[in-house]
């Protein structure tokens, strides 16, 4: 295994697709790369590779100090191992996590993404692009309800995005944890990101004054939240 430092940055919601006028989280992701002019590959799989999402990515990242590209799993697919291992950052967008993971597994992407992570490529993303790295997450992939979804397992425990932004998320996450359907884990607000170095949480950063993350666990049969102090990003 490579001795490179491994980074995963999980955003509850934010970045160019949710805060187009506030690049704080995206700039934070860029600063973690091993290059001062990093290569950034966007995976919009969870949106079905929506053209508008990919256009928005390029519109945002061509204004920043980086070299943006994207990977589509529709149409002709390039050499995935070569493309992803030559990146400095792999940035995963939001959408339908269940469909995204199914397609990734069909193409052998989990193994390639793990190899990239172990080689020092920063893995980042929001919503679907946040929960995918954990053992499990809370998803709205099925219309009208939240459910538990098994992730890639790069990080232990579970993850719930959009924690303060979508009112149904908090009670659903609490219920899943107290019932034992999902392991304890981290809940992340829109405008906040949890930065893991190796497999340990290193810090929480925020692009909004009231955004943060929480460790959520069970005590005496009830869900317990422990707020995590968030560092306000200078560009916010």
């Amino acid at each position: 295994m490579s001795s490179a430092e491994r980074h995963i940055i999980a955003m509850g919601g934010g970045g160019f697709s949710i805060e187009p006028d506030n690049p704080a989280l995206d700039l934070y992701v860029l600063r973690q790369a091993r290059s001062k002019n990093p290569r950034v590959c966007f995976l919009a799989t969870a949106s079905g590779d929506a053209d508008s999402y990919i256009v928005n990515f390029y519109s945002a990242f061509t204004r920043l100090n980086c070299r943006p590209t994207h990977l589509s799993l529709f149409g002709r697919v390039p050499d995935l191992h070569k493309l992803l291992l030559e990146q400095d950052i792999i940035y995963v967008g939001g959408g339908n996590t269940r469909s995204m993971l199914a397609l990734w597994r069909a193409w052998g992407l989990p193994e390639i993404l793990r190899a990239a992570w172990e080689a020092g490529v920063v893995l980042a993303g929001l919503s679907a692009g946040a929960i995918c790295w954990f053992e499990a997450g809370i998803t709205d992939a099925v219309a009208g309800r939240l459910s538990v979804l098994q992730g890639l397992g790069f990080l232990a425990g579970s993850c719930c995005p959009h924690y303060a932004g979508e009112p149904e998320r908090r009670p659903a996450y609490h219920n899943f944890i107290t019932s034992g359907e999902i392991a304890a884990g981290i809940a992340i607000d829109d405008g906040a990101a949890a930065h893991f170095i190796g497999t340990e949480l290193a810090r929480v950063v925020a692009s909004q004054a009231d955004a943060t993350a929480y460790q959520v666990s069970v005590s005496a049969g009830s869900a317990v939240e422990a707020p995590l102090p968030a560092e306000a990003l200078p560009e916010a």
Side-chain angles (χ1 to χ4, degrees):
M1 181 183 296
S2 169
S3 60
E5 190 168 67
R6 297 169 294 159
H7 296 266
I8 292 178
I9 302 170
M11 293 178 265
F16 74 94
S17 59
I18 292 180
E19 299 180 282
D21 298 321
N22 183 358
L25 288 175
D26 292 338
L27 287 169
Y28 180 80
V29 171
L30 294 179
R31 286 197 294 270
Q32 311 316 310
R34 54 195 171 187
S35 167
K36 292 184 179 179
N37 184 28
R39 294 161 293 187
V40 184
C41 186
F42 181 49
L43 276 64
T45 320
S47 71
D49 285 346
D51 289 342
S52 59
Y53 203 3
I54 294 169
V55 167
N56 288 343
F57 164 74
Y58 280 108
S59 178
F61 277 77
T62 52
R63 298 173 185 155
L64 305 177
N65 185 29
C66 65
R67 291 169 282 167
T69 189
H70 77 282
L71 167 65
S72 174
L73 296 177
F74 300 89
R76 297 295 183 186
V77 175
D79 182 327
L80 296 173
H81 190 277
K82 181 178 185 300
L83 174 67
L84 294 177
L85 268 291
E86 69 185 13
Q87 302 302 314
D88 298 299
I89 298 167
I90 296 170
Y91 191 122
V92 181
N96 190 310
T97 317
R98 187 179 301 275
S99 296
M100 178 184 79
L101 290 176
L103 193 55
W104 280 8
R105 286 170 174 138
W107 282 98
L109 266 179
E111 295 78 15
I112 298 171
L113 290 168
R114 180 177 284 277
W117 177 49
E118 292 175 348
V121 178
V122 175
L123 305 180
L126 71 150
S127 193
I131 67 176
C132 63
W133 313 117
F134 293 81
E135 291 176 322
I138 302 299
T139 178
D140 58 359
V142 177
R145 65 182 177 90
L146 294 169
S147 58
V148 173
L149 180 69
Q150 299 305 305
L152 299 179
F154 295 4
L155 298 174
S158 64
C159 179
C160 178
H162 308 300
Y163 197 56
E166 298 179 4
E168 70 276 13
R169 293 275 178 168
R170 179 178 261 110
Y173 193 38
H174 288 192
N175 288 338
F176 287 135
I177 288 178
T178 55
S179 69
E181 292 180 67
I182 197 170
I186 189 167
I188 312 170
D189 290 341
D190 291 344
H195 182 180
F196 291 80
I197 299 178
T199 57
E200 301 297 322
L201 180 64
R203 65 185 63 89
V204 174
V205 297
S207 60
Q208 300 175 17
D210 57 348
T212 191
Y214 304 81
Q215 293 285 3
V216 185
S217 58
V218 178
S219 178
S222 298
V224 177
E225 292 181 351
L228 298 167
E231 302 173 23
L233 292 171
E235 302 88 356

